Amino acid sequence: LGHVGPLARLPMTAHHGTADEGPSRPKRRPFAGGRAVAAAVVAASASPSMAMYLPGVAPIEYDAFEKVELKVNKLTSVKTQLPYSYYVLPYCQPPQIMESAENLGEILEGDMIENSPYEVQMMKNATCKVLCQMTLSPEQKAKFKSFIDDDYLVNLIIDNLPAATRYVRRGSETDGTTYMNGFPVGVHRNGKYYVHNHIKFDLKFHANPAEYDGYRIVGFEIEPYSIAQDQTDGVVQCQSGGNYPALELDEHDSVSYTYDVDWTYSHVRWASRWDNYLKMTGSQIHWFSILNSLMIMLFLSGMVAMILLRTLHRDITKYNELAGVEESAEETGWKLVHGDVFRKPVHSKFLAVSIGSGLQILCMSLVTLVFALFGILSPAHRGALLQSMMLLYAFLGILAGYVTSRLYKMFNGVDWKQTTLMCALLYPGVFFTIFFLMNLLIWGQKSSGAVPFSTLFAVLLLWFGISVPLVFLGAYFGFRKGNIELPVRTNQIPRQIPSQPWFMNATFTTLVGGILPFGAVFTELFFIMSSIWQHQFYYLFGFLALVLIILVVTCAEISIALTYFQLTSEDYRWWWRAFLSSGSSALYVFLYSVLYFYTRLNIEKLVSTLLYFGYMFMLSIIFFLLTGAVGASAGFLFVKAIYGSIKID
């Protein structure tokens, strides 16, 4: 699917005729409604036929011949990753350009939804309708060529449904029909540039008089054409026949923009209207890969759990039987380090902050997935996913402060003010700095993806006005509580650590430990990266929730296993090892992003390359904190449990 490009299909037929009225149906009164929501988002947990409409997101019913507003969105490119406003190119403009109200997520994603001069009416067909005629200057032609070379796509929206271009893959054994979001600005063939100046809107509607009045829009497909139209007495006439001449930029100084509107009845229900868009991700491959990953991870996790349970049961039984025997002092194993196992680790302040921030990210992910599974954060709600994650991250600062303070107090730390400040500012500061530098690069390219300074101020207000006070509030509650009760006391003099075999080396075990968690998310990571960098819709939140559960279980078990093997070697420095053994999977995530860049993407510009690796580095840090916090927390609970189950003199 990643290789289906804008040159896969160039329509070579044109339609002509006069505007006519669509299929005759009884006129119905419109029913008030809000914005649409794609019920296909909950396909993993519910049948598409189960129509559940949340308040404010009900479908819109249109009356016959009622005006349907067509809006334009940003121009996007996989090659540059820099979005631009639709009217940057010499397209027809309405008398007054008005931007739609956008939420924080849409602004951060670079969306720029504006009105357009297209006139579309429910069930009213039109053929060769002239939008406008424009004379192109050499600079405008050069801009068209630049955007065509960079494979920019035009994105249109009707009834909150994005336009999709249908492609047919010839010679494919499977269904050869696939869909791409938007349509190309033009094509470049044999050294010549052609602009898509004629658009056919293939709109589909559904009606069910028994359930509701009016008509619902359930499909929005586009067929782009490049046509050098005839002009008779100053009136544009679309070419007839299949061999019409294409509009070659260098041979024409003016361009006529025309469009067709074709309404057809569809049996697709409104709740299933997003299905065509969701086919873009290759669901069959996704199903097989997720199932395969699930089976492998469950098998490995079960095997690790079985070994640990049997070995631990034998160790605990042996230690308790020998508790009163003098020879027990000569025993080797993890019991001998009981006086040092809870010793304060090096850089304990940084460790406590990292675990607190990681659990904050984990809880943010879990709550976001719950909302997504209920369809609240579907692709129909542009920017809702990103906005919800930022708000949840800010409000969960109270959890980060609480966990950090509890751990730091257990480490007998006294500098609680500096620790709380570090928790509130360290990692959010790293994320904001990277984002700000990336935004400066985007701003330098005059892209619509550049976040305005007013929005940056809103992000800072969210950080310092909500997140930081909540971190201090959580730390206040954490420091007020008593110390975490530990099953054993820590000796004053540290025990000498014997020499370790090569396979227990910290670097080796850390790198090996990260392979299993990365393997758990490898398949899902591919689809998430395709969604981000190839502008595909991501909707399988049910699978993502399953993978997150697998990831958490795998991180916990790999950290428990490596912590146990380390303690049996009489090495009690397990805190950072437990964090890094699972957190090192972030290194493999970043290395995979390098592989993905060179094998899947066609980015050539320096700014676009810096944007890609900057954001992937930020994503790797988030993954590092999440997996590391799970590993360290699991290791702590494991160590506390096993030392609480044996008798210590």
Side-chain angles (χ1 to χ4, degrees):
L1 285 175
H3 298 292
V4 180
L7 300 182
R9 179 179 183 269
L10 178 64
M12 298 301 291
T13 58
H15 299 270
H16 65 284
T18 58
D20 62 321
E21 295 184 357
S24 59
R25 281 182 175 269
K27 188 173 181 179
R28 298 179 175 89
R29 291 174 294 178
F31 179 77
R35 296 182 68 184
V37 60
V41 174
V42 293
S45 58
S47 169
S49 61
M50 295 173 62
M52 180 184 67
Y53 306 135
L54 299 171
V57 292
I60 297 176
E61 286 82 15
Y62 293 92
D63 195 3
F65 310 120
E66 182 182 350
K67 180 181 178 182
V68 180
E69 188 175 8
L70 189 150
K71 298 180 181 180
V72 297
N73 201 352
K74 60 187 177 183
L75 305 172
T76 55
S77 168
V78 174
K79 289 182 67 174
T80 67
Q81 301 295 335
L82 295 170
Y84 286 92
S85 170
Y86 174 83
Y87 294 112
V88 164
L89 290 178
Y91 287 131
C92 305
Q93 298 184 8
Q96 182 180 2
I97 299 177
M98 295 181 293
E99 293 186 17
S100 299
E102 297 179 358
N103 58 42
L104 179 62
E106 286 179 298
I107 297 174
L108 294 176
E109 292 174 1
D111 281 349
M112 187 169 285
I113 302 174
E114 300 164 312
N115 61 328
S116 75
Y118 288 101
E119 296 179 357
V120 180
Q121 293 175 274
M122 172 59 72
M123 295 175 57
K124 185 175 182 179
N125 295 339
T127 306
C128 195
K129 196 166 184 178
V130 179
L131 199 61
C132 73
Q133 293 177 267
M134 298 189 68
T135 301
L136 299 180
S137 65
E139 292 78 12
Q140 289 174 325
K141 287 186 178 182
K143 181 168 284 190
F144 258 129
K145 292 178 181 179
S146 173
F147 275 64
I148 292 173
D149 283 334
D150 289 333
D151 295 340
Y152 269 90
L153 303 177
V154 181
N155 297 283
L156 307 178
I157 300 171
I158 273 187
D159 190 36
N160 203 36
L161 201 62
T165 306
R166 182 194 301 173
Y167 290 89
V168 179
R169 290 183 293 180
R170 305 185 186 280
S172 175
E173 296 180 0
T174 59
D175 184 10
T177 302
T178 186
Y179 293 84
M180 180 180 68
N181 193 16
F183 66 91
V185 171
V187 292
H188 182 206
R189 284 184 177 174
N190 302 322
K192 296 182 179 181
Y193 293 87
Y194 303 93
V195 175
H196 286 143
N197 63 321
H198 179 81
I199 310 299
K200 180 185 177 184
F201 300 131
D202 185 8
L203 292 157
K204 295 177 171 56
F205 67 93
H206 181 77
N208 190 343
E211 295 184 5
Y212 56 85
D213 293 332
Y215 307 91
R216 294 177 177 177
I217 298 175
V218 295
F220 182 24
E221 295 180 12
I222 275 187
E223 293 182 20
Y225 298 86
S226 180
I227 304 177
Q229 294 100 332
D230 284 340
Q231 292 193 23
T232 305
D233 298 329
V235 179
V236 176
Q237 301 289 333
C238 292
Q239 299 286 338
S240 60
N243 297 320
Y244 60 84
L247 182 71
E248 203 270 305
L249 264 180
D250 292 328
E251 295 179 359
H252 297 80
D253 293 329
S254 64
V255 56
S256 298
Y257 292 100
T258 56
Y259 64 99
D260 300 340
V261 180
D262 184 25
W263 289 93
T264 55
Y265 182 79
S266 173
H267 293 285
V268 176
R269 295 172 60 88
W270 182 87
S272 304
R273 67 177 190 164
W274 277 78
D275 287 358
N276 286 339
Y277 304 89
L278 307 182
K279 290 178 183 176
M280 292 187 226
T281 53
S283 57
Q284 291 182 349
I285 301 173
H286 202 127
W287 274 94
F288 176 77
S289 301
I290 290 294
L291 184 61
N292 186 47
S293 176
L294 177 64
M295 295 302 295
I296 293 175
M297 292 306 109
L298 288 178
F299 172 74
L300 292 176
S301 300
M303 188 171 64
V304 170
M306 183 179 66
I307 293 174
L308 288 181
L309 287 175
R310 292 187 62 183
T311 307
L312 273 175
H313 180 70
R314 186 177 64 247
D315 287 349
I316 292 171
T317 303
K318 180 178 64 175
Y319 288 146
N320 287 335
E321 288 177 352
L322 297 175
V325 184
E326 294 182 359
E327 289 82 2
S328 61
E330 301 176 2
E331 289 290 330
T332 59
W334 51 267
K335 183 182 178 182
L336 295 183
V337 295
H338 66 84
D340 300 273
V341 71
F342 291 107
R343 188 173 299 281
K344 179 180 178 180
V346 295
H347 308 297
S348 58
K349 189 183 303 181
F350 183 56
L351 177 65
V353 169
S354 299
I355 295 175
S357 299
L359 293 179
Q360 178 186 10
I361 294 172
L362 174 64
C363 291
M364 175 201 71
S365 305
L366 290 173
V367 176
T368 302
L369 280 175
V370 170
F371 284 126
L373 287 172
F374 281 102
I376 300 175
L377 304 178
S378 73
H381 300 83
R382 291 175 185 83
L385 183 65
L386 181 57
Q387 178 175 268
S388 301
M389 291 175 67
M390 293 190 65
L391 290 174
L392 284 171
Y393 182 82
F395 284 109
L396 286 171
I398 189 171
L399 175 66
Y402 180 80
V403 172
T404 300
S405 62
R406 294 287 285 153
L407 287 174
Y408 189 62
K409 189 173 184 180
M410 186 185 70
F411 295 147
N412 297 320
V414 293
D415 195 1
W416 66 271
K417 292 182 180 178
Q418 185 179 359
T419 305
T420 308
L421 269 177
M422 185 183 294
C423 178
L425 303 179
L426 178 61
Y427 289 112
V430 171
F431 298 146
F432 185 82
T433 302
I434 295 175
F435 177 76
F436 183 76
L437 294 176
M438 297 298 103
N439 193 62
L440 288 179
L441 295 176
I442 300 173
W443 180 74
Q445 298 295 311
K446 299 179 180 179
S447 166
S448 68
V451 177
F453 285 100
S454 58
T455 306
L456 288 177
F457 179 76
V459 173
L460 287 174
L461 192 63
L462 188 68
W463 179 12
F464 287 98
I466 297 179
S467 180
V468 172
L470 287 176
V471 169
F472 273 86
L473 181 63
Y476 171 76
F477 288 128
F479 280 116
R480 282 197 63 184
K481 291 197 69 173
N483 266 337
I484 299 175
E485 293 186 7
L486 301 176
V488 290
R489 293 189 302 270
T490 301
N491 296 335
Q492 292 184 353
I493 302 175
R495 180 186 177 88
Q496 185 176 0
I497 300 173
S499 59
Q500 301 292 312
W502 66 270
F503 53 84
M504 290 305 296
N505 179 268
T507 304
F508 179 77
T509 55
T510 297
L511 293 177
V512 170
I515 295 177
L516 201 57
F518 172 73
V521 300
F522 169 75
T523 304
E524 207 66 27
L525 183 64
F526 170 79
F527 288 99
I528 293 175
M529 292 181 66
S530 297
S531 171
I532 297 173
W533 301 111
Q534 297 192 22
H535 306 153
Q536 297 177 359
F537 288 104
Y538 186 88
Y539 72 108
L540 294 177
F541 294 111
F543 283 122
L544 185 58
L546 180 63
V547 168
L548 181 61
I549 293 173
I550 295 174
L551 175 66
V552 170
V553 172
T554 306
C555 288
E557 291 190 346
I558 199 69
S559 292
I560 288 173
L562 292 178
T563 299
Y564 172 75
F565 295 141
Q566 182 180 356
L567 292 176
T568 54
S569 300
E570 300 180 28
D571 185 355
Y572 51 83
R573 298 168 302 181
W574 60 272
W575 272 107
W576 275 109
R577 191 84 63 92
F579 186 94
L580 295 175
S581 59
S582 54
S584 63
S585 55
L587 174 64
Y588 297 102
V589 170
F590 187 77
L591 291 177
Y592 176 72
S593 70
V594 176
L595 177 67
Y596 187 90
F597 179 83
Y598 287 106
T599 58
R600 292 284 176 175
L601 299 179
N602 194 21
I603 296 177
E604 298 173 353
K605 294 185 177 181
L606 176 61
V607 172
S608 303
T609 303
L610 292 175
L611 287 176
Y612 175 83
F613 285 108
Y615 286 126
M616 288 310 301
F617 178 69
M618 192 158 60
L619 182 65
S620 300
I621 294 177
I622 293 173
F623 196 78
F624 169 74
L625 292 174
L626 189 152
T627 53
V630 171
S633 302
F636 171 66
L637 294 176
F638 168 75
V639 172
K640 186 181 176 186
I642 63 172
Y643 282 95
S645 62
I646 60 174
K647 299 175 183 178
I648 303 295
D649 292 336

